[in-house]
Amino acid sequence: MKNYPPFSVTPLILTFCQQISRELGYFAGANMAQAPIKLRRANKIKTIQSSLAIEGNTLSIEQITAILAGKRVLGPKKDIVEVNNALLVYEDLAKYNPSLAKDLLRAHKVLMKNLNAEAGKYREKGVGVFDGTKVAHMAPPAKRLPYLMTELFNFLKSSSGVSWLIKACVFHYELEFIHPFEDGNGRMGRLWQQLLLMKEDAVFEYVSVESIIKSNQKKYYKVLGQCDKAGTSTLFIEFMLGQILSSLKTYSKITKPQKINAAFRLKNAKKKIIGKWFSRKEYMQANIDMSSATASRDLLNGAKKGLLIKKGDKNQLKYKFGA
């Protein structure tokens, strides 16, 4: 993997990947990616609160919930701006492509609006990370950023043999090491890790890995430092996969499996193809792993119950959801 970030796949990494795959397989079978809207919203708020708290934001989950509801809260102006910016980004994650550098800059511009004059731009000067008065990490020179960031995104696009689980962890570490922004590198690293994990499985949009990281914050920074000295992200991958697995197990405890039946499938399809005529094939595409016979029964029952309008006949038969 010439010019790719240095890391090794250890037995522990393989074990974690297998355990995470089993958890994701259970979620898929129980349809737990389709969590209730209230739970999705609660987990998203928890993710935002945890990621910002790691950077020193003082607002609580209750205060962030109030801000989301349009209520006024008492707190430092900077903290409130950080929350409002994060809500804008996390409420619309689907609009960002984690494989594109321009989307990284676009997300940073929103996340750091009114917080940093260079929001949405790579830094143009040197920067160091301090532990008290001691320099814990000196980031690469600003002039090398275009090359380093291009190579990092090339890794995402070209390393087809590497799972998105590992790519997410590698990218997270490398972004912290490169430190491409004047401010906001930590929260951007955690945001981009989530977006990359969502390419592995949609359930990661609603799983708060950040809250587990926050509870292990000292170890998080310690491992980052160890990887800096070692010149490889291997230890960080091991650490982060452990956090991801813990997050999935926590999610499974608070999420009830969804009963998948005709009513559920019709409701799921309606969210994706409402307002237009669609064929049986398009209905099947809106519901994963569905047979044509099951699709026909669903559509027939939906029409009988008045949930669907139909027109045409045989191969030309089309359906549309009613108001």
Side-chain angles (χ1 to χ4, degrees):
M1 297 196 303
K2 189 177 180 181
N3 294 329
Y4 287 170
F7 67 91
S8 301
V9 178
T10 64
L12 182 58
I13 288 174
L14 290 174
T15 298
F16 276 141
C17 285
Q18 289 170 350
Q19 292 174 337
I20 289 169
S21 294
R22 281 199 293 270
E23 288 291 321
L24 293 176
Y26 169 66
F27 291 161
N31 204 41
M32 289 169 71
Q34 299 290 338
I37 292 176
K38 186 175 180 180
L39 179 58
R40 298 183 201 178
R41 177 74 45 104
N43 279 0
K44 196 162 289 188
I45 291 171
K46 186 188 295 184
T47 291
I48 292 170
Q49 192 274 333
S50 298
S51 188
L52 293 180
I54 291 171
E55 306 299 327
N57 191 289
T58 61
L59 298 190
S60 65
I61 287 177
E62 291 74 22
Q63 287 173 305
I64 294 175
T65 303
I67 290 173
L68 185 58
K71 299 178 182 178
R72 291 173 63 90
V73 300
L74 294 176
K77 181 179 178 181
K78 178 176 177 289
D79 290 5
I80 293 172
V81 172
E82 286 180 344
V83 167
N84 277 316
N85 290 352
L87 286 169
L88 287 175
V89 173
Y90 280 87
E91 281 293 304
D92 203 4
L93 287 177
K95 74 177 184 179
Y96 298 106
N97 182 340
S99 296
L100 297 179
K102 67 177 183 178
D103 279 17
L104 180 81
L105 294 172
R106 192 156 57 93
H108 184 264
K109 186 174 182 178
V110 177
L111 204 59
M112 301 306 296
K113 183 180 179 181
N114 298 324
L115 294 169
N116 186 274
E118 299 302 310
K121 301 176 183 177
Y122 293 141
R123 59 181 168 83
E124 296 182 352
K125 57 186 179 182
V127 65
V129 179
F130 288 82
D131 182 5
T133 58
K134 181 182 177 182
V135 178
H137 171 65
M138 183 58 67
K143 65 181 181 181
R144 296 204 65 215
L145 288 180
Y147 169 77
L148 292 173
M149 293 305 294
T150 297
E151 286 300 299
L152 184 54
F153 277 98
N154 283 342
F155 163 67
L156 293 181
K157 298 170 187 175
S158 305
S159 52
S160 57
V162 182
S163 72
W164 287 107
L165 281 173
I166 293 178
K167 285 181 182 181
C169 300
V170 172
F171 190 97
H172 184 167
Y173 168 75
E174 292 294 333
L175 192 78
E176 304 311 318
F177 177 83
I178 296 170
H179 234 67
F181 305 110
E182 281 191 7
D183 193 17
N185 293 282
R187 67 198 77 172
M188 282 301 299
R190 292 184 290 275
L191 168 66
W192 229 247
Q193 175 181 271
Q194 181 175 0
L195 285 169
L196 290 167
L197 287 173
M198 285 164 58
K199 293 183 77 68
E200 179 74 24
D201 195 287
V203 75
F204 282 110
E205 184 175 354
Y206 314 115
V207 173
S208 180
V209 178
E210 285 78 359
S211 60
I212 301 295
I213 295 174
K214 180 173 172 283
S215 65
N216 292 281
Q217 191 171 335
K218 288 184 178 180
K219 182 70 181 293
Y220 172 69
Y221 284 119
K222 181 181 179 180
V223 173
L224 283 171
Q226 290 174 325
C227 288
D228 288 352
K229 292 177 182 178
T232 170
S233 60
T234 302
L235 283 177
F236 187 77
I237 298 170
E238 292 178 343
F239 169 78
M240 194 52 61
L241 289 176
Q243 307 306 295
I244 292 168
L245 180 60
S246 294
S247 301
L248 289 173
K249 288 182 176 179
T250 299
Y251 184 70
S252 68
K253 292 176 183 177
I254 61 175
T255 311
K256 294 181 180 180
Q258 297 283 318
K259 183 178 181 181
I260 304 177
N261 53 24
F264 178 87
R265 290 189 293 267
L266 285 164
K267 185 178 179 181
N268 183 54
K270 185 176 181 179
K271 291 185 292 185
K272 301 175 182 178
I273 50 180
I274 190 170
K276 66 175 184 178
W277 292 97
F278 60 91
S279 64
R280 183 182 65 176
K281 182 179 179 181
E282 289 171 310
Y283 177 72
M284 292 171 65
Q285 290 171 344
N287 287 285
I288 301 172
D289 297 330
M290 171 184 282
S291 69
S292 58
T294 299
S296 295
R297 285 194 298 271
D298 284 1
L299 295 170
L300 179 62
N301 289 332
K304 284 182 177 180
K305 293 179 179 179
L307 300 173
L308 295 168
I309 305 165
K310 64 178 182 177
K311 68 176 182 179
D313 191 30
K314 296 183 179 179
N315 293 337
Q316 301 301 315
L317 189 56
K318 296 281 186 177
Y319 301 87
K320 187 176 182 180
F321 284 99

